[in-house]
């Protein structure tokens, strides 16, 4: 380690910080008192990212011996420290939905064309009513964006990347634990939603 160049040392420190942040977040999600981990969701840290896997079961088929299926990963960006969802190359439909790509669904493409035509024909009032019907791509994108935001908040509170003011020795620890538990509740709500979406569109 003493023969590393300055750039290699900075890169190694960044990788270690990302790894520690992922472990801190997973530990908080698994060990916090307020955590309600569904039995079919499995979290694991791998090379600076969090792997979200699920035990997918089907009626009349026993899959107890089968390992969990990887749904998606939350990679910790080494530059910003934010968590970004990544998907396997084979589940292209989920990747396109997460980007709200119109080419994912013919129905979504036709809906976008209809909204453009309505905007020109009947003005903003009709377009507003049509726009209230959220497309699948937009719902998926918003769900994963919410997951990224909640993971970032939790990572700042329990992992590397944030400072906690220990001004009150007697109360600071309990206040920190309460703050982490609130972030865990929000993160689990987003994580369960995104895991269900990935199980439907990705598996």
């Amino acid at each position: 380690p003493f023969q590393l160049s300055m750039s290699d040392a900075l890169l190694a420190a960044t990788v270690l910080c990302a790894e520690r942040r992922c472990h801190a977040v997973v530990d908080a999600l698994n060990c916090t008192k307020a955590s309600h981990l569904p039995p079919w969701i499995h979290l694991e840290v791998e090379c600076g990212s969090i792997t979200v896997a699920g035990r997918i079961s089907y009626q009349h088929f026993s899959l107890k011996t089968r390992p969990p299926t990887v749904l998606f990963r939350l990679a910790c960006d080494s530059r910003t420290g934010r968590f970004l969802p990544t998907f396997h190359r084979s589940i292209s439909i989920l990747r396109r939905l997460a980007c709200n790509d119109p080419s994912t669904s013919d129905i979504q493409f036709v809906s976008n064309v209809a909204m453009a035509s309505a905007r020109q024909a009947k003005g903003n009032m009709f377009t507003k009513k049509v726009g209230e019907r959220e497309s699948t791509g937009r719902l998926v994108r918003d769900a994963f964006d919410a997951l990224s935001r909640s993971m970032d908040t939790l990572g700042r509170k329990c992992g590397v990347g944030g400072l906690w003011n220990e001004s009150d020795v007697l109360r600071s620890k309990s206040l920190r634990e309460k703050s982490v538990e609130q972030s865990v509740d929000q993160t689990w709500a987003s994580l369960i939603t995104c895991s269900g979406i990935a199980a439907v569109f990705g598996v």
Side-chain angles (χ1 to χ4, degrees), residues 14-157:
T14 303
V15 172
L16 288 175
C17 287
E19 188 79 8
R20 287 185 59 192
R21 191 169 200 178
C22 291
H23 278 288
V25 170
V26 170
D27 290 342
L29 291 172
N30 286 326
C31 303
T32 306
K33 296 178 181 179
S35 176
H36 302 285
L37 174 63
W40 59 277
I41 294 181
H42 178 73
L43 302 178
E44 186 176 353
V45 178
E46 294 180 352
C47 301
S49 63
I50 300 175
T51 300
V52 181
R55 295 187 179 276
I56 311 300
S57 60
Y58 301 92
Q59 191 175 8
H60 306 304
F61 290 93
S62 177
L63 301 176
K64 294 182 179 180
T65 58
R66 184 176 179 178
T69 303
V70 176
L71 301 175
F72 59 92
R73 289 180 172 85
L74 291 164
C76 186
D77 187 7
S78 59
R79 185 174 62 89
T80 62
R82 297 190 60 188
F83 286 96
L84 303 174
T86 59
F87 309 97
H88 194 269
R89 187 179 301 175
S90 61
I91 50 177
S92 58
I93 185 173
L94 183 58
R95 288 192 291 112
R96 292 178 180 177
L97 285 173
C99 297
N100 196 17
D101 189 351
S103 63
T104 306
S105 172
D106 294 337
I107 298 177
Q108 182 177 347
F109 180 74
V110 171
S111 176
N112 292 340
V113 173
M115 288 181 62
S117 301
R119 186 179 299 110
Q120 296 177 356
K122 299 186 178 181
N124 295 330
M125 291 300 297
F126 181 78
T127 305
K128 183 178 180 180
K129 293 180 180 180
V130 177
E132 292 175 353
R133 304 171 186 172
E134 300 287 352
S135 61
T136 303
R138 185 171 182 178
L139 292 173
V140 173
R141 184 193 63 185
D142 291 346
F144 279 98
D145 286 346
L147 177 60
S148 296
R149 290 192 298 268
S150 60
M151 290 288 290
D152 294 338
T153 303
L154 180 60
R156 287 194 298 269
K157 292 182 178 180

Side-chain angles (χ1 to χ4, degrees), residues 126-194:
F126 181 78
T127 305
K128 183 178 180 180
K129 293 180 180 180
V130 177
E132 292 175 353
R133 304 171 186 172
E134 300 287 352
S135 61
T136 303
R138 185 171 182 178
L139 292 173
V140 173
R141 184 193 63 185
D142 291 346
F144 279 98
D145 286 346
L147 177 60
S148 296
R149 290 192 298 268
S150 60
M151 290 288 290
D152 294 338
T153 303
L154 180 60
R156 287 194 298 269
K157 292 182 178 180
C158 68
V160 179
L163 296 177
W164 190 266
N165 186 12
E166 301 287 353
S167 58
D168 189 345
V169 179
L170 298 177
R171 299 180 57 190
S172 292
K173 183 178 180 181
S174 60
L175 291 175
R176 182 186 180 101
E177 291 178 352
K178 184 177 181 180
S179 179
V180 170
E181 288 179 0
Q182 291 176 351
S183 296
V184 165
D185 286 339
Q186 297 174 359
T187 303
W188 269 125
S190 298
L191 187 60
I192 293 172
T193 301
C194 292

